Amino acid sequence: MSAVLAAAFLFTNADARSWTDKKGRTIDADFVSTDGTNVTLKLTKTGKTATVPIDSLSPKDVAFVNEQETQEPVDSADVVDMPDRWPEKVPGPKNFRLKEENAKDKNRSTYIYKTANFRFTSQKPLDEKAQEAIGRLYEGTFAAVKRMPLPIPRVKSKRRPGQELKALLTPDMASYYAAGGPQGSVGVFRSAMAQTNKRLTEKDVQDDMTIVPFTALGISPDGKLLDDKIDSHTLAHEITHQLTCLCNFRNSIWINEGMSEYVGYVPYDGNEFDFTGAFKNIREAAMVYEQHGKWTLPFTIEEFIDMSQDTFYGKGSTDPNYGHRNYTLAAMLVAYHFHLDDRYGLRNFTNYMNALQRGTAPDKCKKTLLGKRKNFKQLQDDFSAAWKEKGVNIQFKE
């Protein structure tokens, strides 16, 4: 047993399963997997994983591990460290219900609903179940993003009356496109931000809103909930754009899309966001391109970080998967900093976000991602090596 793990056996936490070794030392941790000889545990105190010989455990714990062997095994490639203070499961808040603002207006042509942090304009009235599904998703996403230990100004406190974030709900795709929704999409965040080199404030953002058709919410054109299986990936992605729009991401397309994709990949069951499943979903998305040999990239990681919006989205490219692949790569780069780059990844990522918000010049800003590394070639090699251990082989341009 390693010295680090032996030290960890000195700590306890009443909320997790308690494990005991043959010397009587205890540790609180979750079972992850076993190969019949060793057991992998996720330590409650640090969120890190550790491997322990089964024969070093108490008879009770050995019996527990043997019972787990009969269950479906967890792919070790999906097991990652969670940074300190990183959320695991975030339940939706209690204040998610919509309140109709203009119910007394018998001649209204639009229907205004509010939650604690959002103001919804709907072109059709919504039944009670539809209101609940919308409120849960929007307020749940707000709560999930707020729990991430990152400098995101819009989620630091409850919105004041009159400052709720706006959402437009359309009954069909025709009205969605007419409102500015892009062809082929099922949700969009639209904003007109002032061009400034200083820290953005609410005054710099005009008419920002998410636009969502009823169909993406499982709602019929007449406002009734038909299906509670909401496309949470797309909608959580667009809501995250709205929540992070004061982070000054507009000059850094990879983090703008990568952050929103990361939150989109967090599993949502209609009640809570489960951050422990985000990495697994991102890895599965990456494996799709791995199987088709799409991870031989025509750019370096530094060129990807510097990439323009048009290039990122694949404008002018003959490869139909170019833009989709870049979305996945951006999510992988975000996940790398959160889960694969030890304790320095989150710190470097946070420093980068802070530099963006201060309006730091792009060349100086991106260097904060290096941390103690000397150049982007080292970051590129470390990124590729970490993902190779997870079964995804990425070849950047040298």
Side-chain angles (χ1 to χ4, degrees), residues 64-338:
F64 177 83
V65 172
N66 290 337
E67 289 177 4
Q68 309 314 303
E69 284 192 272
T70 63
Q71 301 179 11
E72 184 178 352
V74 176
D75 191 336
S76 61
D78 294 327
V79 179
V80 292
D81 290 336
M82 303 291 275
D84 290 344
R85 299 185 295 115
W86 200 254
E88 293 195 0
K89 294 186 178 182
V90 181
K94 296 179 180 179
N95 59 341
F96 65 85
R97 296 189 183 280
L98 276 65
K99 296 180 180 179
E100 189 171 358
E101 187 179 69
N102 61 342
K104 295 181 180 181
D105 183 0
K106 302 301 181 182
N107 298 316
R108 62 193 184 280
S109 59
T110 57
Y111 300 79
I112 310 299
Y113 302 91
K114 285 186 178 182
T115 58
N117 297 293
F118 294 91
R119 183 179 189 271
F120 304 89
T121 300
S122 177
Q123 297 172 350
K124 296 287 184 180
L126 302 168
D127 73 6
E128 186 174 339
K129 290 184 177 180
Q131 292 181 39
E132 181 174 328
I134 293 169
R136 283 185 183 276
L137 176 61
Y138 272 79
E139 288 294 340
T141 304
F142 189 99
V145 173
K146 184 176 183 178
R147 285 283 302 278
M148 300 171 77
L150 296 169
I152 304 175
R154 273 196 157 179
V155 298
K156 292 302 181 183
S157 60
K158 180 180 175 181
R159 310 295 296 180
R160 295 179 180 177
Q163 293 186 346
E164 295 88 357
L165 303 177
K166 300 173 185 175
L168 174 63
L169 310 177
T170 67
D172 51 44
M173 295 307 296
S175 54
Y176 170 71
Y177 296 140
Q183 291 286 333
S185 68
V186 290
V188 68
F189 170 65
R190 189 183 67 187
S191 175
M193 283 186 286
Q195 295 297 315
T196 176
N197 292 323
K198 63 180 179 63
R199 189 180 296 273
L200 289 170
T201 68
E202 293 288 349
K203 294 181 180 179
D204 298 312
V205 183
Q206 300 178 4
D207 300 325
D208 72 297
M209 68 172 64
T210 53
I211 308 174
V212 182
F214 282 6
T215 52
L217 295 162
I219 297 173
S220 68
D222 60 352
K224 294 180 173 57
L225 186 67
L226 299 177
D227 187 353
D228 59 2
K229 295 180 180 179
I230 293 175
D231 180 6
S232 63
H233 181 114
T234 298
L235 298 181
H237 175 112
E238 300 302 336
I239 296 168
T240 301
H241 274 315
Q242 188 170 31
L243 298 178
T244 58
C245 75
L246 295 185
C247 294
N248 213 0
F249 286 167
R250 67 187 184 282
N251 293 325
S252 185
I253 189 64
W254 78 268
I255 192 174
N256 189 32
E257 297 297 353
M259 266 288 294
S260 293
E261 276 292 273
Y262 179 91
V263 177
Y265 278 117
V266 177
Y268 173 70
D269 64 2
N271 292 297
E272 68 178 12
F273 282 82
D274 183 1
F275 279 83
T276 64
F279 185 86
K280 177 178 183 293
N281 287 341
I282 293 171
R283 177 176 172 272
E284 288 178 351
M287 292 299 293
V288 171
Y289 295 100
E290 170 76 14
Q291 293 167 3
H292 291 85
K294 295 292 185 180
W295 284 123
T296 300
L297 303 172
F299 46 75
T300 65
I301 199 168
E302 183 175 11
E303 289 170 340
F304 181 68
I305 290 170
D306 289 335
M307 192 172 284
S308 70
Q309 181 171 303
D310 284 347
T311 303
F312 184 96
Y313 293 142
K315 186 176 181 179
S317 174
T318 57
D319 182 355
N321 292 313
Y322 190 91
H324 293 294
R325 181 190 62 195
N326 286 341
Y327 273 92
T328 304
L329 182 60
M332 293 169 66
L333 187 52
V334 170
Y336 169 76
H337 283 92
F338 292 167

